[in-house]
Amino acid sequence: MKGSFLTGSAKIQQLDKKGMYRLCANELYKDEDGTIYLAWRNFQTDNFTWINSNDWDTRCSHIHDIGCKYHQIVKVNLNETKLKEKGILQISPYSSNELICNDIPKEYLEVIKASGHKINNMFYRMLKAADCPKTPKFIQILYRCGVALNFKWFISGKKKINLEKIYNRKWNEK
């Protein structure tokens, strides 16, 4: 099974700090094995992962940036059907073609470790799944190779994800 983004295109807010953005909406990525991962609203990101470029679907960089910052990612312990049944994943009021994700209660979330290799491979799978605009194969390969050179990895990962605070704007600013 090919991975896919369950939620629509990225909703971001430009911040006062140069090159930084805040996610305005939750984003969900369903990986090839059916596992769903969350990039939460209020997470702050540079919106790119290797080259200073927003030319391709920036949702790919968001979960990757979470993995790089915390050396952890957030797994959703509900499947797509359950998310819809609980009213967490629903049709956007602005576009019938897109789904939005309301805040997921912490009891349905799990923090898992993410090695550099794991998060970089996930980034590559997200690039393959992206479709706004379609990311060319050579860009997917180039970006996957590029993130392997992320030497910031070795100084990050000190702060850990706190499921009690992930949607809190102030916590995300630190």
Side-chain angles (χ1 to χ4, degrees):
M1 174 172 100
K2 181 180 172 186
S4 63
F5 285 95
L6 300 180
T7 50
S9 58
K11 312 297 186 272
I12 58 171
Q13 175 187 22
Q14 188 172 7
L15 298 174
D16 291 337
K17 185 177 177 186
K18 184 180 182 333
M20 291 301 291
Y21 302 84
R22 173 184 294 117
L23 295 186
C24 297
N26 296 314
E27 298 173 352
L28 294 177
Y29 170 69
K30 184 177 177 180
D31 210 351
E32 294 173 347
D33 66 357
T35 304
I36 298 173
Y37 298 97
L38 170 70
W40 59 87
R41 68 176 178 80
N42 285 323
F43 176 70
Q44 294 188 5
T45 175
D46 59 12
N47 221 34
F48 60 89
T49 303
W50 179 46
I51 298 174
N52 186 359
S53 170
N54 294 329
D55 292 346
W56 315 108
D57 191 334
T58 58
R59 293 176 297 179
C60 304
S61 70
H62 300 158
I63 290 174
H64 184 263
D65 286 355
I66 289 169
C68 289
K69 179 176 182 173
Y70 298 104
H71 296 196
Q72 300 175 323
I73 50 179
V74 176
K75 176 183 167 190
V76 178
N77 288 323
L78 294 173
N79 63 28
E80 190 174 349
T81 302
K82 290 288 184 195
L83 287 166
K84 288 176 181 176
E85 285 174 2
K86 292 184 177 298
I88 296 169
L89 187 60
Q90 56 187 296
I91 296 172
S92 168
Y94 309 108
S95 169
S96 60
N97 296 348
E98 289 188 346
L99 294 174
I100 59 168
C101 176
N102 295 311
D103 290 353
I104 302 172
K106 67 178 179 158
E107 58 265 19
Y108 303 125
L109 301 175
E110 178 182 351
V111 176
I112 59 172
K113 288 184 178 182
S115 68
H117 186 70
K118 176 179 180 152
I119 199 65
N120 290 343
N121 284 341
M122 182 184 288
F123 176 66
Y124 180 65
R125 292 190 303 275
M126 287 187 287
L127 284 169
K128 291 193 303 185
D131 62 0
C132 91
K134 251 327 182 197
T135 310
K137 184 74 173 169
F138 80 93
I139 291 292
Q140 295 170 15
I141 294 167
L142 181 68
Y143 274 40
R144 172 55 185 94
C145 293
V147 294
L149 302 174
N150 177 9
F151 297 112
K152 260 178 80 174
W153 174 269
F154 299 104
I155 60 170
S156 62
K158 312 266 187 285
K159 182 178 176 184
K160 298 302 176 194
I161 295 173
N162 182 339
L163 292 178
E164 299 282 338
K165 297 182 179 182
I166 60 170
Y167 303 113
N168 180 288
R169 184 178 284 201
K170 291 286 184 203
W171 182 79
N172 280 283
E173 290 174 356
K174 297 174 184 173

